[in-house]
Amino acid sequence: MKNFLVILLFFQVSINVLGQDNKVIRGVVVDENNQPIPDVSIVLKPSIKGAFTDIDGKFKVEKLKGIPYVLTFSSISFKTRSIKVDLTNQNEVYKKVVLFDEVEKIDEVIVKGKKKATKIKEKGFSVTAIETQAIKAQNLEINSVLDKTAGVRVRRTGGLGSDFEYALDGMSGNAIRFFVDGIPMDFYGASFSINNLPISLVERIDIYKGVVPTELGSDALGGAINLATKKQKTNFAEVSYSYGSFNTHQTAVHGQWVQDNGLTTRLSAFYNYSDNNYEVWGKGVHYADESTGFKAVEFTEDNPAERFNDDFQTTTAKFDIGLTDKKWADQVFVSLLASDLKKGVQTAQTMARVFGRVRNNEQTIAPTLTYKKKDLFTEGLDVNAFAGYSYTEGVLIDTTVVQYDWRGKIIGERLSGGEMGYDGKSQFTQKNHYQLYRANATYELPNDFKIGVNYLQTNSRRRGEDPFSPVYRIPYIEPQSLGTQFAGLSVETEKFDDKLLANAFLKYYGYNATVNDLVYTDQYEVIEYTNSISNFGGGFAVSYKLTPNVLLKSSLEQATRFPTPTEALGDGVTIDNNPFIKPEQSFNFNFGAVLGNFEIGNHKIKTEVNTFYRNVSDRLLFTVIDGQGNGQFRNINKVSGLGAELDIMYEFDEKLRLSLNGSYYDYRNNLEFEENGNRNIVYRDRLRNLPYLLANAGLQYNTDDLIQEDSKSFFYLQSSYVHEFFLNWPSLASTENKSVIPSQLIFDAGLSYTFPSKKVIVAFDMSNILNEQVYDNYLLQKPGRAFSIKLNYQLSQ
């Protein structure tokens, strides 16, 4: 590590020496209170060069000519300001620029501009907005970042690229929807999912819990997470590379070129690879052979096994070309995304069954068209539209005739072949055609009202191929389809000098599915079922600022969530289709308060508390239906619960930050009688396989001028706790036979160093410092202690 840092220092000094004849403008941008403003856009004329301020409000523009320039500083929250800088007779100029709040009068009501994240947080929705500027240098997955947030739990089945499930305030699984710039992420395929997307490509993460605004345009029932990618008007390029434990490599490239005529091209690409060959031991990780009398011998912490068929690789590239800042369009882009994913499949639902050659591959290609325009036809009318088509082809390869154990040894053969099941070999290819159309418009009305409309339509059609054609797969080879429609109407207003923010909305949901089922009379026959449902919902969100430091928030919604294609149509491998599946419905209510920021000298403290209630009917849960761990999504008629979360942040001198948060949920099965009239033996049981007590604590420290002048250093220590919970219904089985996912307490730490030019950042991270045996799902062990180092280089013109 020391040698590596010396090399980087030499590299940085070399750059400075070679470029000493360049003209440079640098400085800092602050507000009226002398507080730094990050992410301010800086454009230089006459040129196409520019920059953005960093988290400390600092900027630097290099390789300039010895001529006069006009610098224009702009941010959503502040008045645009231009200054003149003459480099004719000087090599370097330093400027401190003050930006003032943007103030405009609308019918004598004064409205001050605010940062986007601040606006989102102050609305009545239960929402957390995370700016990524301070953490983008760290080698952290988005899943890891969000897992430390109040009310959020991310459950993973293994290492890099493994399956995952989110819970927001206790609502989990597919009740949570994911978006990138307002577009559902599942449209782009598995490679472009939240667990693979590099955090360096993301500017802000919005987490909505329970109640979701109409502009996201989806049937999210338990909440939604929207990733807002970087939006810049200047040329830039950024590349990062990291290497870590288990032979993990991650590379990301992000860049943009803007010409004077508005022609803009963008490229975002990333590559992730890991052997995921971490050590595992304990229950389910065993072997048996003739030397032991075929008795099971468990691997231990002192003599662990190593995962050997769990490698993961994904390559994704997205290219955009279009025009910006035209009279008829702020943005119009044609885009193409292509991705390739390859991974080994190591285990089934638990680690008791181990596979040595099962593979899962997927390729996606997705062309799209995006259009955005503010003040279209008339002032106050803003529109954006999106249309896209994606084709995904996934194949599960299970064709070997040999069987493996946790030693990685072949222990036998099966003439019919196949490791996952007992139905013989399989090479199932699933082809999915997905169309998505989205339109969103808002219009400013008199008296501080704004109306918004949103429409989203999706159509998914899939069919399969399998050269071995096992009988059970026949329904999945024949075509199946699923289509949804969503329409939303909202009205929002700001009153009493911005103290009251209110949003009322109506939603329409439409669902149509064609699902196959296999029946046998005197021969096998496929029966096609059609399921068509429509529903309405609505709600409101309101916030009121009692004082400058006390904000009350409340929201409620009657929501509907339709089954996903996999829940309804199955995957043809481990998930059966369900022709009779019904949508989930829920009444969601939130009430909370934000207290702070309270400042005493150099001390700041902020507290957020949120309480909530959920009443869900026909909740969809995965139910295992055979001894091999295969199952089907089924409806549980009645589930309700309440909970609370607390988030506290303390900051000293803008350098030291301590954060604490905790969440508690109490969800119960409220179905008292079964359909046959018998009393439900798990009535009032706590909901199975759901964590209910979570806590996180974090300590961060940043300092300037360590090792080098104008450098920045950042250190953090993070801990996470999850209390033990039952895998199955608590009323079932005796105490000694209950399946329990044990309590988890893990610690992570890291540091980063930003060189004076702000172009080069090196970061070091360590996860699970104490090498704890960690589970998110029953008997599926996650990685132990792991290290990584990351180098980030940024070039902005």
Side-chain angles (χ1 to χ4, degrees), residues 421-541:
Y422 300 94
D423 300 297
K425 297 180 180 180
S426 175
Q427 188 170 318
F428 179 54
T429 300
Q430 183 171 267
K431 302 177 179 181
N432 188 66
H433 301 264
Y434 195 145
Q435 300 173 58
L436 188 149
Y437 307 97
R438 177 180 182 269
N440 185 290
T442 61
Y443 183 63
E444 300 281 353
L445 297 172
N447 300 319
D448 301 329
F449 282 91
K450 182 168 72 173
I451 188 170
V453 294
N454 184 284
Y455 178 77
L456 175 74
Q457 179 179 335
T458 68
N459 298 287
S460 179
R461 183 173 178 83
R462 60 174 57 177
R463 65 179 304 161
E465 297 176 358
D466 193 333
F468 300 100
S469 298
V471 171
Y472 71 88
R473 189 154 284 155
I474 294 175
Y476 307 97
I477 294 176
E478 297 296 320
Q480 300 186 100
S481 63
L482 187 150
T484 66
Q485 293 186 72
F486 171 89
L489 173 66
S490 67
V491 178
E492 59 181 287
T493 187
E494 301 179 6
K495 294 294 184 182
F496 311 123
D497 295 333
D498 281 356
K499 291 182 178 180
L500 175 69
L501 304 180
N503 184 312
F505 53 86
L506 294 173
K507 297 180 178 181
Y508 166 80
Y509 310 90
Y511 170 87
N512 186 48
T514 302
V515 186
N516 299 327
D517 195 18
L518 186 67
V519 298
Y520 180 82
T521 51
D522 55 346
Q523 63 180 3
Y524 285 103
E525 181 182 1
V526 174
I527 297 178
E528 183 180 275
Y529 290 89
T530 299
N531 194 2
S532 183
I533 304 170
S534 62
N535 207 346
F536 287 90
F540 71 84

Side-chain angles (χ1 to χ4, degrees), residues 3 25 80 92 99 119 140 178 197 221 250 267 315 386 408 432 474 526 536 556 574 583 667 698 702 715-716 759-760:
N3 293 335
I25 301 175
T80 299
E92 182 171 327
L99 297 186
K119 287 184 176 181
L140 303 174
F178 301 92
L197 196 66
L221 184 81
Q250 296 177 280
L267 174 66
T315 305
F386 178 92
N432 188 66
I474 294 175
V526 174
F536 287 90
L556 66 81
T574 60
Y667 285 91
N702 66 83
F715 307 87
Y716 76 90
K759 291 183 177 181
V760 180

Side-chain angles (χ1 to χ4, degrees), residues 9-20:
L9 284 169
F10 178 77
F11 173 70
Q12 184 69 13
V13 171
S14 299
I15 290 176
N16 292 337
V17 171
L18 292 174
Q20 63 185 0

Side-chain angles (χ1 to χ4, degrees), residues 54 86 103 157 236 304 355 403 437 488 568 582 588 611 668 694:
D54 63 16
D86 192 347
V103 180
T157 60
F236 72 94
F355 309 135
Q403 307 292 301
Y437 307 97
K582 295 184 289 186
N588 302 329
T611 59
R668 303 281 175 167
L694 317 170

Side-chain angles (χ1 to χ4, degrees), residues 16 110 125 187 204 213 260 289 309 318 371 425 584 606 663 694 784 790:
N16 292 337
I110 297 177
F125 297 95
F187 166 79
R204 193 187 69 254
D260 290 337
D289 58 22
N309 184 42
K318 184 174 181 286
Y371 174 84
K425 297 180 180 180
E584 294 181 330
K606 181 179 180 181
S663 306
L694 317 170
K790 179 179 179 180

